[in-house]
Structure formats: C-alpha cells, structure tokens
C-alpha cells in the first residue's frame, strides 16, 4: 500500500519532505555500515527473512517478524526487509510485529527511522504506539525526524506520539524545545497536554517555554491548565517575575491562574496585590481584591488600601472589595456598613453579605441592616435578611419592631429572617402570633413558618396555630400552620383533634402536612388516627401515614392490623411504606409475617417485605409455612428469598431442613446458594455438606462443579468437607474441576467472624 493510498495526498507530501530532508543523513547511515552485510547472515535470520518476505500466510509473516525481533541486534541485516514490509504490508497485525521487531533490534535499526515516523500515523491504533516505542529504543539519533513529526499537518496522533517520544528520550537541543513549545498552542488538547509534560521532563531548559505556560493558564481544558500551573511552580524563582506580570493580564482566567500559582508557591504577597488594586483594568483590580479576600486575616495590614478602594468608580470593583473586607475581620465594620448606602444595588447586597460573613460580631451594624431590609431591590433585601440571620439572637429585638412596619413586604422579610434564626428567635413568638393574623396572606404564611422553626419553645403559639388551621381561608396558610404544629413535637399535643380534622381538608397540601404533623407529635393519641388515615382516599395521605407509623416504631404496634391491610393497597407506594413501617417495628409486628411473605410475590414490594421479615428475626416464625410453600414458587427470585428468610428466622425444624436440602438441587444457582447458606445459619451445615459431597461422585461434570462451588459459597460452614475436597483434588483429571476445588478450599479456609451471612438492622422505636 502506497503512502498516498494509506494517508492521502497531504500525508504523502509531508513524508516526501521528511525523506528529502533526511537523504543526506540516511546515506551517511549506509556508508557508516547500517546496511553493510560484510558478515554472513546467520541461517536462522535468513530463514526468518524468507518467512517475512515470501510467505502468503499472514501468520507465517508474523512469526518471521517475531523471530527477527527476538534476535535483537543480530537481526541488523534484516532491517531493509522490515522497512519494505512496513511500507507494503496490508495486515495491521504484521505491521505491528514488524515495528516491534525494529524496536527490539535497537540502535542498529536507525536506518528505519523514516519508516517508523510514517508508522506514527498508521491507520491501525496498535501500530502507532509501538512505532513510538521503537523510536525511543533507537535513541537520540531519531530526534531530528521526531522534530519534523511534531509539525505533522493532519495527523494529531503523530504529533502527540512524537512529542511523547521526545520527552522520553531526553537530552534534547534547543530546536526540539522550540518545536514542543510551538505545540503548546496545538488545536488538540491531548497534544498541548503532552507538550507540557514533555517540557516538564526537560528541567531548567523550559525557561524558553515559560511565557507560553503563562498563556496556558487560560487554556479551555482543565488538564492543560493543571500541567501548566504545575510546571510553573516547579520552575520556582524563574517563573515568579512572569507570574507577577500576569496579575495585570487582560484575560481573567490567566490572572486567576497566576494568583493561584503564586499562592501555592508562597509568593503571593499582599504588596503585589495592593499594586494590582491600582491597575488600569477594573477586572485586574477586582481579581486582586478577591485574592486579598482569600488570604483572610493574613491580609489585615492592607485593610486601609481596601477601604480606599471602596471609592473605586467601578461598581464591580467596589463589590469585590467589600466582599474581601468581610472575609478578613470586623476591623473594617464601619466602612462595610457605610457601603449599605452605595448607589448600586449589587454593591449594597454584597455589603450586607459581607456583614453576614462577619457574623455575630457585626451586631453594631444591625440598625443599618434594618434600614436595608426596606430596600426597594429584592436582591438587597434577601442578602440583608440572610445577614441578620447570621448575626443571630442580637437581631431579634429589632426584627420584632419591623414586624409592625407599614409595608407588608418588610413585615414578611422580618418574619423570614426570624425563621432563619430559628430557636434563638423565641423572644419573637408573641409578635409572630400577631403576624399570624396579618391582613396579607404572604405575611401569615411566613409567620407560621417562623413559629415552626422556633420549635417547642413556641408552645404558646399552639392555640393561635390551631385557630389558623380551623378558620383560615387560604390553603397555604393552613398547610404552614399544620407544618408548624408538627415541628413543635409533643408540645403541640393539644392540636391533635384539629390535625385529625385537617386530614379531610379540601387542599391536598394541608392534608399531607397534617398527617406529617401527627407523626411528629407521636404521642399515643395519634396512633388510632394514623391507623385510620391508612384508609383515606388520598394516596399521599395513606403513604405518609404509613411512613409516620414507621418513624414512631415499636410504640405504634397497635396499628399492625391496619398496616397489614395497607400491604394490600392498590397503590404500590403505600404497600412499600407499610412494609417498611412493619420492619421498623421488628418483632412487635410478628403477626404481620404471613402477610409480608405474600408481599414477596410483588416485585415492587419485595425488597421492603424481605427487609421487614429480616428485622423480625426469630419472631417471624408464623411466616414459616408460607415460606416453605414459596420455595416451590415458579419465580426463582421468590424461591431464593424464601430460602434466605428461612435461614434468618432461625427455626431448624425437620420440615425446614428437608425443604432447604431439596433446594440444593434447584435449577437456579442463586436458589442453591441461598439454600446452602440458610442451612449454615440453621447449624445444619453438616447435612448440606453430606448432600453436596455425594454430588461430587455424579457422572455429570456440571453437577460436580455445582456442588464444589456451593461448598465454597458456604465458606467456613463447610470446613467438614475439606478432607474430601483435598482427596477429590488429587484424583481429579479435569483442570476446570481442579481449579474449582482449589477455589472452594481457599474460600472455606478463609477465617470468618460470623458463619451466617444473613442479618438485618435492629427495629427502631420512638418514645411516645
């Protein structure tokens, strides 16, 4: 196959240039004796050459190439044949072995360099890296050709592999450095990354590439940016001046990259950043302020410079500066507070955010923040609300006053802020009760939410919330009132009748929040109500009622009959929640065991039902008859799960053992494994071992393999089988059977803490 046929006209032109450039060098190799065959060719080499050159069968040609490669430098007379084969061969597997052979011949195969350069762009992906490895084996004499390959016009694989090989050869001159530096701007990120890696192996010589590395800090590919940053750090003092100048670079990514690299080198001083604060570009000044903010308290000496920068004409710079001051200390508190009056809304919002970053120490700014809570811009009000919440309890008295503001938006924001403060806002409970009757529904909604966030400390608000739940016209307000009562826990026990009535509210959100609240209150009085809720027409109410009973746990065992009925619900989500609730009750829900076995038949409910039965442990004995029957089910998943559950229940009665032993011959592998492990759990492993050892004498090979593998799965429970297995291994002639026995012996001999692998989490209980 010609170069034009394989690579197209562009590739042929490129390789023509390479060959012309190397003609003089090539003939030098000839006169140096590369092809001189003064010595007679050894017979074995001549035979391999004939196989490679004349054989029609590709396998014979591969064998010939392999033999030449294994001969090493002795096969130097075959280089010309190998080169010609590489150019003409159509079979990729043959070309791959030829290239490999040239690499094994080593430096004496230097006459093959042009052909190996061509192979860097071979259509076979396995030939290309092998060609690169061969060039590496040839050594430094291949460097000139590799430099040309770095500039390949259309094959990025050739550029990539040439650069990689140059990096591995080492000892490169300035022309190689220049070629690789130019590749740092290649369109392919793989080439750029490999160029950075190669230059990294050149040590101090990369000083020529440092400006390009600076540019690569802004590369679109993270890999390239990371390699450039790494190499700049490794260059140490050589890179610091360039990185410092990069702080003023017009491209933001490069500025930020320079800041990061200088910081990791310990060269990012506040003085440099202060100088950048005076830069001509607003973006440079902003990045400098951000970097000072990341330095935190270490940059406190430059606070005066940052305060001066608060007068910057650019709003973006002022926003960056005020954020930086907020991350340093409360020393600049007056200056930050003053920025709350900035003409730009974004800057005012950043100032509020900075005060929030300072936290409780910013309490002197509360009056200014209260004013900002009335700002006309939503962004400012939201940042202010969050800042007051971070300041905490100190802001509560001022927020109580704001709850009486004439503007409903301000009242609402005050209530939102109190909700964010949470339990520390208990002083505001009377004012929030008043807000619960506000003329604007949005305020009533957030007032109810805030009372819920205060929690049990807001028990004084229970009557008002009950009243809201019963008389409020707006569904959202009723829903938040029900939610708040639930968040108060058993402190809201007086609300149980109102919440029970809310289960029939016309709004679904109210019904759902009511059932959740009853579950959170969790006292004995709610059990019957939640059990009744399992029959409500609303699917979500039924599901949430089951979940609530599960969260209560063992204390709600009186609702087991209702949960058993819920296992037959038409909606699978309800069935799953009911099964999980029964599992959390553990042995207290033993009467539900037969129903849970029936639920195993349903693929959607199966996992939850199995987990519930496991949690019951030995208390699930009422389910044994149903499980024995399920071991004959047509569904193999049901059979395997039934076997596992019989093992976890732990009842080693004769019927159970007999059925499990029969299951050892099940057609499904998973059923057999679970049955064997169940017998281990029931301390009946000797019975299982006896049955399986008999199967070792079966005529059918598959039956013998199955029995051996099952013994291995039993682990330490099958230790009594070790003597018989060792004997069977000695007598076995089948290699696969021997390997299976060896694996089984290893598994059985492995130490085990617990012989029974079936276990489950203990039941959960919440005190009523």
């Amino acid at each position: 196959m010609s170069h034009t046929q394989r690579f197209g006209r562009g590739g042929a032109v490129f390789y023509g240039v390479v060959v012309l450039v190397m003609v003089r060098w090539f003939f030098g190799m000839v006169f140096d004796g590369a092809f001189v065959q003064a010595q007679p060719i050894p017979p074995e080499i001549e035979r391999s050459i004939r196989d490679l050159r004349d054989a029609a069968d590709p396998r014979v040609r591969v064998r010939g190439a392999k033999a030449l490669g294994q001969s090493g430098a002795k096969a130097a007379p075959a280089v010309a044949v190998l080169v010609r084969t590489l150019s003409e061969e159509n079979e990729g597997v043959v070309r791959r072995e030829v290239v490999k052979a040239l690499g094994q011949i080593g430096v004496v195969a230097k006459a093959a360099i042009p052909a190996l350069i061509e192979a860097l762009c071979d259509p076979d992906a396995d030939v290309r890296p092998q060609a690169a490895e061969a060039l590496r084996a040839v050594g430094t004499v291949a460097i000139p050709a590799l430099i040309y390959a770095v500039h390949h016009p259309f094959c990025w694989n050739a550029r990539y592999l040439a650069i990689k090989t140059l990096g591995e050869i080492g000892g490169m001159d300035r022309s190689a450095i220049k070629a690789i530096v130019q590749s740092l701007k290649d369109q392919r990120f793989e080439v750029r990354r490999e160029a950075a890696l190669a230059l990294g192996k050149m040590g101090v010589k990369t000083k020529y590439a440092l400006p390009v590395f600076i540019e690569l800090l802004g590369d679109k590919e993270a890999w390239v940016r990371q390699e450039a940053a790494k190499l700049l750090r490794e260059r140490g003092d050589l890179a610091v001046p360039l990185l410092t100048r990069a702080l003023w670079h017009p491209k933001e990514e490069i500025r930020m990259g320079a800041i990061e690299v200088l910081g990791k080198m310990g060269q990012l001083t506040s003085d440099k950043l202060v100088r950048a604060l005076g830069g001509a570009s607003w973006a440079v000044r902003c990045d400098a302020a951000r970097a000072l903010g990341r330095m935190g308290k270490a940059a406190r000496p430059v606070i005066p410079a940052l305060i001066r920068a608060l007068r910057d004409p650019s709003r973006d710079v002022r926003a960056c500066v005020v954020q930086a001051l907020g991350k340093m200390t409360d020393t600049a508190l007056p200056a930050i507070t003053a920025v709350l009056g900035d003409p730009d809304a974004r800057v005012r919002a950043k100032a509020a955010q900075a005060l929030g970053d300072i936290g409780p120490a910013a309490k002197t700014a509360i009056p200014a923040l209260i004013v900002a809570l009335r700002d006309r811009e939503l962004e400012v009000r939201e940042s202010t609300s969050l800042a007051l919440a971070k300041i905490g309890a100190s802001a509560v008295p001022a927020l109580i006053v704001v709850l009486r503001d004439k503007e409903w938006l301000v009242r609402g924001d005050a209530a939102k802020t109190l909700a964010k403060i949470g339990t520390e806002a208990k002083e505001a409970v009377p004012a929030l009760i008043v807000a619960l009757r506000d003329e604007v529904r949005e305020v009533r909604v957030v007032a109810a939410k805030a009372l819920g966030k205060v929690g049990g400390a807001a028990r004084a608000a229970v009557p008002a919330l009950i009243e809201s739940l019963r008389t409020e016209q707006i569904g959202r307000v009723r829903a938040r009132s029900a939610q708040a009562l639930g968040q108060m826990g058993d402190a809201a026990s007086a609300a149980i009748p109102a919440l029970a009535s809310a289960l029939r509210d016309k709004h679904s959100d109210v019904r759902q929040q009511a059932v959740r609240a009853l579950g959170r209150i969790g006292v004995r009085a709610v059990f019957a109500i939640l059990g009744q809720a399992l029959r409500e027409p609303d699917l979500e109410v039924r599901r949430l009622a089951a979940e609530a009973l599960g969260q209560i746990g063992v204390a709600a065992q009186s609702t087991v009959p209702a949960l058993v009925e819920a296992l037959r619900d038409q909606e699978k989500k309800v069935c799953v929640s009911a099964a999980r609730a029964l599992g959390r009750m553990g042995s207290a829900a033993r009467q539900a065991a037969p129903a849970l076995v029936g639920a195993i038949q349903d693929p959607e409910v199966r996992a939850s039902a199995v987990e519930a039965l496991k949690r019951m442990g030995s208390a699930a004995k009422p389910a044994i008859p149903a499980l024995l029957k399920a071991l004959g089910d047509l569904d193999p998943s049901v059979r395997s799960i039934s076997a596992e559950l019989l093992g976890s229940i732990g009842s080693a009665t004769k019927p159970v053992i007999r059925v499990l032993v029969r299951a050892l011959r099940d057609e499904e592998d998973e059923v057999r494994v679970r049955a064997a492990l169940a017998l281990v759990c029931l301390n009946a492993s000797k019975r299982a071992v006896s049955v399986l050892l008999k199967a070792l004498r079966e005529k059918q090979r598959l039956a013998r393999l199955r029995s051996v593998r099952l013994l291995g799965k039993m682990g330490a429970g099958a230790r009594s089988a070790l003597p018989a297995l060792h004997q069977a291994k000695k007598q076995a002639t089948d290699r696969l059977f021997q390997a299976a026995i060896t694996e089984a012996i290893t598994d059985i001999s492995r130490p085990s803490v617990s012989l029974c692998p079936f276990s489950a989490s203990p039941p959960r209980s919440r005190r009523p």
Side-chain angles (χ1 to χ4, degrees):
M1 184 183 292
S2 69
H3 302 331
T4 304
Q5 289 173 323
R6 188 178 297 168
F7 305 112
R9 183 171 295 176
V13 170
F14 172 74
Y15 286 116
V17 172
V18 172
V19 171
L20 286 172
V21 169
M22 298 180 66
V23 162
R24 181 181 171 198
W25 170 80
F26 180 77
F27 279 106
M29 295 298 149
V30 173
F31 290 116
D32 284 343
F35 290 143
V36 174
Q37 300 179 9
Q39 299 295 326
I41 302 175
E44 65 274 11
I45 301 295
E46 192 169 359
R47 185 166 53 253
S48 299
I49 290 174
R50 282 199 305 272
D51 287 344
L52 179 63
R53 184 183 57 204
D54 303 330
D57 189 343
R59 290 174 295 183
V60 177
R61 299 201 296 277
V62 166
R63 189 171 64 227
K66 279 186 177 179
L68 289 170
Q70 289 166 358
S71 300
K74 293 179 182 178
V79 169
V81 176
L82 288 164
V83 169
R84 186 165 60 251
T85 304
L86 186 58
S87 175
E88 298 172 354
E89 178 61 54
N90 290 324
E91 294 290 339
V93 65
V94 180
R95 294 199 304 277
R96 184 164 65 248
E97 287 302 328
V98 166
V99 167
K100 186 176 179 182
L102 287 168
Q104 290 171 320
I105 292 171
V107 70
V108 295
K110 52 193 173 183
I113 289 174
L116 290 171
I117 291 292
E118 177 184 350
L120 291 177
C121 205
D122 194 278
D124 191 319
D126 293 328
V127 174
R128 297 194 292 265
Q130 199 66 56
E133 181 63 25
L135 286 163
R136 188 191 66 77
V138 171
T140 56
V141 72
I143 288 175
L146 287 165
I147 290 172
Y148 279 97
V150 167
H151 302 297
H152 198 290
F154 74 94
C155 181
W156 73 267
N157 279 301
R159 301 195 299 273
Y160 169 82
L161 290 167
I163 291 168
K164 184 175 183 180
T165 308
L166 283 171
E168 290 171 348
I169 291 174
M172 292 176 277
D173 56 18
R174 187 162 181 168
S175 351
I177 295 172
K178 184 178 178 181
I180 297 178
V181 167
Q182 290 171 351
S183 297
L184 290 169
K185 297 180 181 178
D186 196 279
Q187 290 183 349
R188 297 288 302 207
F189 92 90
E190 296 94 336
V191 178
R192 298 197 301 274
R193 184 182 66 189
E194 196 56 46
L197 287 170
L199 287 168
K201 297 172 184 176
M202 297 161 63
V204 295
K205 294 181 182 178
T206 52
K207 62 183 180 181
Y208 306 110
L210 289 179
V212 185
F213 287 148
I214 295 291
E215 294 296 323
L216 288 179
L217 290 175
D219 195 276
K220 61 184 178 181
E221 295 291 341
W223 274 90
V224 179
R225 295 196 301 272
Q226 290 167 8
E227 289 300 332
K230 179 183 175 184
L231 290 166
L232 285 165
R233 289 198 304 271
E234 290 173 353
R235 298 293 75 77
D237 294 340
L238 281 173
V240 170
L242 288 172
L243 286 165
T244 303
R245 285 199 294 273
L247 297 176
W248 285 269
H249 198 283
K251 194 173 179 180
E252 180 183 359
E253 291 82 1
I254 293 176
R255 293 196 304 273
M256 298 309 295
I259 287 170
E260 183 181 354
V261 175
L262 284 169
K264 289 183 178 178
M265 292 171 69
Q267 296 289 337
L268 187 63
T269 62
S270 55
D271 293 341
K272 291 176 183 175
L273 293 170
V274 168
R275 288 200 300 275
L277 273 177
S281 166
W282 70 266
V284 172
R285 300 196 298 274
C286 196
D287 287 342
R290 287 196 192 108
L292 286 166
R294 284 197 292 271
M295 292 174 69
K297 294 182 179 180
R300 277 189 288 189
V302 302
I303 286 177
L306 283 169
I307 291 174
R308 287 194 298 273
L310 288 172
R311 298 191 293 272
D312 195 284
S314 168
R315 64 177 185 177
D316 294 292
V317 175
R318 296 197 302 276
C320 291
V321 169
V322 77
Q323 275 189 296
L325 286 168
K327 292 176 181 177
M328 289 181 184
T329 178
D330 57 353
T331 308
L333 197 55
I336 299 173
T337 305
V339 180
L340 288 171
D342 192 277
D344 187 82
R346 182 167 175 266
V347 178
R348 296 197 299 275
K350 294 298 181 185
Q353 185 179 330
L355 290 168
D357 290 340
I358 294 172
K363 60 184 179 182
T364 56
I366 289 174
L369 286 167
I370 292 295
V371 173
L373 204 58
R374 299 182 174 92
D375 197 283
R376 63 182 179 276
E377 296 294 336
L378 176 63
E379 179 185 9
V380 179
R381 295 199 304 273
E382 287 181 344
S383 296
T384 302
S385 172
L386 187 58
L388 286 165
K390 287 181 176 179
I391 291 171
S394 301
V396 172
L399 289 167
I400 291 172
V401 175
V402 179
L403 278 174
R404 298 193 292 270
D405 195 274
K406 62 181 180 179
E407 293 289 337
W408 74 266
L409 280 172
V410 178
R411 298 197 301 274
D413 285 337
K416 283 180 187 175
T417 307
L418 289 165
K420 291 171 187 171
I421 293 173
T423 55
E424 292 183 350
K426 59 183 178 181
E427 184 184 344
V429 169
L432 288 168
I433 292 172
V434 173
L436 203 57
R437 297 188 291 272
D438 196 281
E439 60 185 8
V440 180
R441 63 181 177 184
E442 282 78 7
V443 178
R444 299 199 297 275
V445 167
V446 292
K449 183 178 179 181
L451 286 166
K453 293 292 184 181
V454 174
R459 66 172 63 236
V462 170
L465 288 167
I466 293 172
E467 184 66 22
S468 172
L469 187 59
R470 284 176 171 164
T471 62
E472 174 63 55
Q473 298 299 310
I474 306 301
R476 278 183 63 211
V477 180
R478 296 199 302 278
R480 297 290 80 75
S481 298
Q483 184 180 20
L485 288 165
Q487 289 170 320
M488 293 178 188
D490 58 7
S493 298
I496 291 174
L499 289 167
S501 299
L503 292 175
R504 292 179 291 279
D505 195 280
K506 61 182 179 180
H507 286 277
S508 61
D509 191 23
V510 179
R511 298 195 296 270
Q512 291 167 24
Q513 292 297 341
V515 75
R516 284 193 180 103
L518 288 165
R520 287 180 175 177
I521 290 171
V523 297
R524 196 175 304 278
V526 306
F527 299 163
I529 298 171
L530 288 172
Q532 187 63 35
L534 291 169
R535 302 184 183 92
E536 288 288 334
D538 187 331
L539 155 66
E540 278 302 299
V541 169
R542 300 199 303 276
R543 184 183 68 79
L544 291 170
E547 281 189 6
L549 289 167
Q551 288 166 2
I552 294 169
V554 176
Q557 59 182 299
S558 60
T559 62
V560 168
L563 286 167
V564 169
E565 186 180 340
L567 282 174
R568 297 188 289 273
D569 197 283
Q570 292 182 349
E571 294 292 339
K572 300 305 178 187
K573 290 181 179 179
V574 179
C575 301
V576 169
S577 296
R580 288 174 179 168
L582 289 166
R584 285 172 176 160
M585 293 179 189
S587 59
R590 61 173 64 87
Q591 66 189 89
L596 286 167
V597 173
I600 292 173
Q601 305 287 335
D602 191 328
E604 294 182 53
V605 188
R606 182 176 296 155
S608 302
V610 168
E611 183 62 22
L613 286 164
K614 283 184 181 180
R615 286 174 182 260
M616 292 180 189
S618 59
K621 287 180 181 178
I624 288 177
L627 288 171
L628 292 174
K629 185 178 179 182
L631 263 175
D633 196 275
L634 294 175
D635 188 340
S637 298
V638 175
R639 298 199 302 274
S640 64
I641 288 169
S642 301
E644 178 179 337
L645 288 170
L646 285 169
S648 63
I649 291 171
S651 178
T653 60
K654 288 183 179 179
V656 171
I657 301 298
R658 185 168 57 252
V659 171
L660 287 172
V661 168
R662 192 185 307 137
L664 293 174
R665 301 185 182 89
D666 195 280
E667 60 185 9
E668 291 293 331
D669 184 57
E670 186 63 21
V671 179
R672 296 192 299 273
V673 170
R674 299 278 183 102
L677 294 175
L679 288 166
V680 172
C681 293
L682 297 176
N683 295 321
S685 55
K686 289 184 179 179
R687 182 77 180 274
V689 167
S690 173
V691 172
L692 293 171
L693 287 178
K694 285 180 183 177
L696 287 179
R697 297 189 290 274
E698 291 277 351
K699 292 182 179 180
Q700 291 184 350
R701 181 193 191 203
L702 183 59
R704 297 197 305 274
L705 283 171
R706 281 177 176 174
S707 63
V708 168
R709 285 169 182 162
L710 269 180
L711 287 166
K713 293 286 186 183
M714 290 173 66
R719 281 181 183 154
S720 60
L722 285 174
L725 285 172
H726 283 295
Q727 184 65 28
K729 184 180 177 182
K730 290 178 183 178
Q731 297 173 352
T733 56
D734 185 332
R735 288 187 178 180
L736 181 60
F737 190 45
Q738 283 181 333
I741 294 174
T742 302
E743 186 178 350
I745 290 171
T746 303
D747 291 339
I748 294 169
S749 303
R750 190 175 290 120
S752 176
V753 176
S754 173
L755 294 180
C756 182
F758 303 144
S759 60
S761 305
R764 296 173 58 181
S765 176
R766 201 174 79 197
R767 202 171 183 178

